[in-house]
Amino acid sequence: MSNSKLYKGSLNTIILKLLNEHDKMYGYEITQKVKALTKGELKITEGALYPALHKLEAEGLLDVEVAKVDNRLRKYYKLTETGTKETVNKLEELADYIKTMQALVNPKLA
């Protein structure tokens, strides 16, 4: 996907959805999961991911757990109860948006 602006608006939803499915994940794990699921089409950079994670944490949607792994500290992110509820809202919003865009770009399928 050459235009990263298309997914920027969906980054929070992507993060919330992955955490909803995987309980807790660390940053690099999130980037690799997205890359794998999209067969390399979508690559989330650290410069985009970590500010989004910090914003979601500040909004009370994520909790952070720090664990020592291989003699290093690793931050694991997981959804709060509010984050779980917000995931449902964000996924509904995204589905509605995709439906609207589909109606615009290919009205025969709508």
Side-chain angles (χ1 to χ4, degrees):
M1 188 176 293
S2 61
N3 192 348
S4 64
K5 290 179 186 173
L6 288 175
Y7 85 82
K8 263 190 184 166
S10 304
L11 183 56
N12 288 349
T13 305
I14 292 167
I15 293 168
L16 293 171
K17 171 72 169 149
L18 285 174
L19 291 173
N20 194 47
E21 291 176 346
H22 297 281
D23 188 40
K24 64 180 182 180
M25 299 176 82
Y26 56 96
Y28 181 74
E29 184 180 15
I30 293 170
T31 64
Q32 295 309 297
K33 189 68 173 174
V34 169
K35 188 176 173 183
L37 287 170
T38 64
K39 296 178 176 58
E41 287 293 316
L42 199 62
K43 294 177 183 120
I44 298 176
T45 64
E46 290 181 9
L49 177 66
Y50 288 102
L53 287 169
H54 296 150
K55 184 173 184 271
L56 291 168
E57 181 186 0
E59 291 172 354
L61 303 179
L62 300 183
D63 272 335
V64 177
E65 292 178 4
V66 179
K68 196 168 191 173
V69 178
D70 296 329
N71 224 9
R72 294 180 29 208
L73 293 180
R74 180 180 285 169
K75 281 187 176 182
Y76 286 92
Y77 298 89
K78 63 186 239 172
L79 294 176
T80 61
E81 190 175 323
T82 304
T84 301
K85 291 175 186 170
E86 185 62 16
T87 300
V88 173
N89 294 336
K90 290 283 190 190
L91 290 172
E92 286 175 1
E93 286 174 11
L94 183 59
D96 289 344
Y97 176 75
I98 291 169
K99 193 170 152 184
T100 300
M101 292 305 295
Q102 188 64 43
L104 287 170
V105 298
N106 200 347
K108 291 177 186 173
L109 295 177

